[in-house]
Amino acid sequence: MTTQTPNPPDTQPSPDFWLQLRQLLRHTITPRPTPVEARLSLAAAPLTLRFASAALQNRILPALSHLPAHNHPSPDLTILVHDYASAPEIPALLRDLTISSSGEEYWVFHQGSLVVNLQHHGRVLSAIDWETRTAWWIGPSPDAIEYTERAHPLRLILTQWQQSRGCNLVHAAAVGIPSGCALIIGQGGAGKSTSALASATGGLLYLGDDICLVQDSPAPLVHSLYSSAKLACLSRFPALAPASVPEGRPDSEKLILFFHQLAAVSTVPTLPLRALLLPTITAATQTTIRPSTPAQAFLQLTPSCIWHLPHLRPQLLAAFAALARRVPVYTLALGCDFASTPIAIRALLLQLQTSEPA
Amino acid sequence: MTTLHEVDRSRIIFEQFDNETVLVNTESGVFYSLNPTATAVLKLIEEGCPLDQLHSVLFPGNSAPSQAAPAIHAFLQQLLAERLLRDRSDSNPIAPFPTPDPALFSAGSAFLPPLLERFDYMASLMQLDPIHEVDPSFGWPKESRDDDADPQPA
């Protein structure tokens, strides 16, 4: 899918800028000590995170701490997490950049084996070197990582890496039982988070409330990416209060929760995908489920492509269409009795498990 | 010479699911859902049926309900207005065309007017598209500042 670059480029980078950046990342910053390390398995691929400080780890790791550990000698990707204190050459190199009108925007540059992402007016750099299977995230300081970003840290790097492995990030929640899960797809306000959290507190396994990874081949799978959830208020789900992180929350933002240490929620890294659910809020008391169509599922999956690189969006839409054709689609008609939602989803998943050919 | 049409695949992603269709305009982010009648009409257009013959192919032998002709005409106008179709390079009709589903178009069935539903929510997202891919040979992007035509370095 093509999009227009909103502001035409004007100034030229210095001729050796990319060479300098590559040299800095590969030969100056990579060998630098990173005292804190986490070895995780994401979508069955070994990922190593190396942090320049415990403070950086504390900001980034909670959302990923539910993932299983790996002990693979050579991870598929190693992400080095630094700040300007541990990698001062980067702010010096980026100092004269004047880009991006919004902190939410990313500028993505492809330079040989290197993909470079600049965010927050060029103050945050993330990059992947496909040759060395190394990535870098370098921001001003741990405290400069925004509250909401702590729920979904390193998202662009993880999205780009996983997409190269055939796992696509989708804007969806996912919950399930041991034999399989349902992906809950819908726009903001459709009831994804409420359904996911009602299900998680109602005994279903939890993979995510807003972002998941979907792998279409050989069999459809959903991989959990983050253990986090976001809620406007805790009154509906008081059991989740111990997982909330109110520190640093701006008034305008939802409350972040991390489930990796909460006994009331069972997170799971991966489950087979059995059903696509399209939530809709109704006036009924009980939640019910009825068949819907692949076209309706595709309509709801389509906006997820906005989170992917523009040149990859057409192939992503084709993957979403294939998924919508392959997995049964249902409308999740949400009743006001939240406790009925996990009961309905569990019953559907058990029914699909029973009807599956041996 | 008859002008034939087809979905403009240079800009439009075209996904057909059983008897429903979804079209996505990759430039604007607008997408469209077509109900079974609209899907059947679009299928015929894609098969090379001229627009002025659609009605007679769908309802052979004057079996059309009275509201069918204006409804199909309005649907075609919508397809053209939304720039979902383009002229085909070949200009010969490829008759005989497949027989339309009798459940939708037979004399005894209730006529369901073709419906093209437009969805703008992804278009709104694309206007705020957070990801901009840049060819490094073009240089750095210029900072967007509505109130300042000559941005200063940060």
Side-chain angles (χ1 to χ4, degrees):
Chain A
M1 187 167 292
T2 56
T3 55
Q4 298 296 314
T5 299
N7 310 301
D10 57 355
T11 57
Q12 293 294 320
S14 64
D16 60 353
F17 176 86
W18 296 109
L19 188 62
Q20 274 183 290
L21 180 60
R22 188 186 296 266
Q23 293 281 344
L24 267 179
L25 292 173
R26 276 191 180 178
H27 303 297
T28 305
I29 294 169
T30 298
R32 208 159 272 170
T34 43
V36 191
E37 184 176 274
R39 292 165 162 248
L40 306 170
S41 180
L42 177 56
L47 165 70
T48 295
L49 299 171
R50 288 167 48 193
F51 299 93
S53 68
L56 282 167
Q57 178 206 30
N58 292 339
R59 289 293 188 196
I60 286 174
L61 201 53
L64 299 162
S65 290
H66 67 304
L67 297 172
H70 83 80
N71 55 9
H72 201 283
S74 51
D76 194 56
L77 188 72
T78 298
I79 305 179
L80 308 178
V81 181
H82 282 269
D83 57 18
Y84 287 4
S86 62
E89 302 86 352
I90 291 298
L93 187 68
L94 302 181
R95 189 173 46 211
D96 294 333
L97 298 184
T98 58
I99 64 166
S100 184
S101 59
S102 147
E104 296 302 315
E105 286 178 282
Y106 292 92
W107 297 90
V108 183
F109 301 82
H110 301 271
Q111 187 69 15
S113 68
L114 202 62
V115 180
V116 178
N117 311 301
L118 294 169
Q119 192 194 5
H120 293 290
H121 311 274
R123 292 197 305 273
V124 175
L125 176 144
S126 61
I128 303 178
D129 187 341
W130 297 114
E131 257 177 36
T132 61
R133 310 300 296 179
T134 305
W136 300 265
W137 183 96
I138 302 167
S141 69
D143 289 340
I145 298 173
E146 290 180 0
Y147 181 77
T148 53
E149 205 171 330
R150 291 160 63 185
H152 303 143
L154 308 177
R155 195 179 74 197
L156 203 57
I157 292 176
L158 296 175
T159 304
Q160 290 167 346
W161 169 50
Q162 286 295 328
Q163 189 163 40
S164 75
R165 305 180 58 249
C167 295
N168 296 319
L169 181 142
V170 293
H171 184 205
V175 293
I177 59 176
S179 63
C181 72
L183 194 67
I184 307 171
I185 317 157
Q187 302 310 297
K192 285 191 307 294
S193 283
T194 304
S195 304
L197 298 180
S199 299
T201 52
L204 296 190
L205 302 169
Y206 179 83
L207 294 103
D209 84 320
D210 193 45
I211 295 177
C212 294
L213 293 167
V214 173
Q215 182 177 348
D216 193 28
S217 178
L221 295 172
V222 176
H223 303 287
S224 176
L225 177 51
Y226 297 116
S227 75
S228 56
K230 289 196 278 187
L231 262 182
C233 71
L234 280 166
S235 58
R236 289 173 172 178
F237 302 104
L240 301 180
S244 65
V245 183
E247 299 81 25
R249 176 192 181 192
D251 291 340
S252 57
E253 297 294 348
K254 289 182 178 176
L255 184 65
I256 293 176
L257 304 100
F258 294 118
F259 293 146
H260 61 289
Q261 290 178 323
L262 187 70
V265 173
S266 299
T267 59
V268 62
T270 299
L271 283 176
L273 175 57
R274 303 289 189 216
L276 301 176
L277 300 182
L278 314 178
T280 178
I281 296 168
T282 72
T285 305
Q286 300 293 309
T287 293
T288 56
I289 295 178
R290 61 176 187 270
S292 185
T293 65
Q296 292 304 311
F298 181 64
L299 283 170
Q300 295 301 328
L301 283 165
T302 298
S304 287
C305 73
I306 205 79
W307 291 2
H308 294 259
L309 296 180
H311 81 274
L312 296 173
R313 290 173 188 171
Q315 76 185 56
L316 198 70
L317 287 173
F320 288 162
L323 191 73
R325 289 189 180 95
R326 194 171 181 187
V327 180
V329 184
Y330 301 88
T331 296
L332 179 67
L334 294 168
C336 53
D337 175 9
F338 293 151
S340 66
T341 298
I343 294 170
I345 295 176
R346 181 193 298 276
L348 173 72
L349 292 172
L350 286 171
Q351 179 194 328
L352 291 170
Q353 171 190 318
T354 310
S355 61
E356 192 172 82
Chain B
M1 189 176 72
T2 306
T3 302
L4 304 182
H5 295 79
E6 63 187 355
V7 172
D8 183 355
R9 286 181 173 75
S10 67
R11 299 183 304 110
I12 308 295
I13 286 178
F14 173 32
E15 291 289 349
Q16 211 163 321
F17 302 90
D18 301 327
N19 56 2
E20 291 180 273
T21 299
V22 176
L23 304 172
V24 183
N25 183 326
T26 59
E27 289 177 352
S28 67
V30 175
F31 50 98
Y32 307 85
S33 166
L34 278 66
N35 73 353
T37 311
T39 295
V41 173
L42 189 63
K43 248 186 210 174
L44 275 179
I45 294 170
E46 282 279 294
E47 293 283 348
C49 182
L51 302 189
D52 59 3
Q53 289 180 33
L54 281 169
H55 192 259
S56 59
V57 173
L58 290 167
F59 299 100
N62 282 332
S63 61
S66 59
Q67 73 272 33
I72 290 170
H73 177 75
F75 171 61
L76 295 177
Q77 292 307 310
Q78 243 185 316
L79 286 176
L80 294 168
E82 297 287 345
R83 298 176 55 233
L84 298 171
L85 300 180
R86 67 179 176 196
D87 293 351
R88 283 171 79 121
S89 50
D90 52 331
S91 57
N92 295 320
I94 317 168
F97 303 108
T99 309
D101 182 354
L104 291 171
F105 297 104
S106 70
S109 64
F111 178 70
L112 175 72
L115 178 67
L116 176 77
E117 210 175 346
R118 176 182 160 130
F119 299 90
D120 286 305
Y121 52 84
M122 194 167 77
S124 315
L125 290 174
M126 279 181 66
Q127 283 172 9
L128 304 169
D129 193 345
I131 302 180
H132 313 302
E133 282 184 298
V134 181
D135 183 338
S137 62
F138 292 165
W140 297 114
K142 182 180 175 182
E143 188 173 22
S144 167
R145 294 168 62 174
D146 292 341
D147 57 347
D148 186 355
D150 183 23
Q152 300 299 308

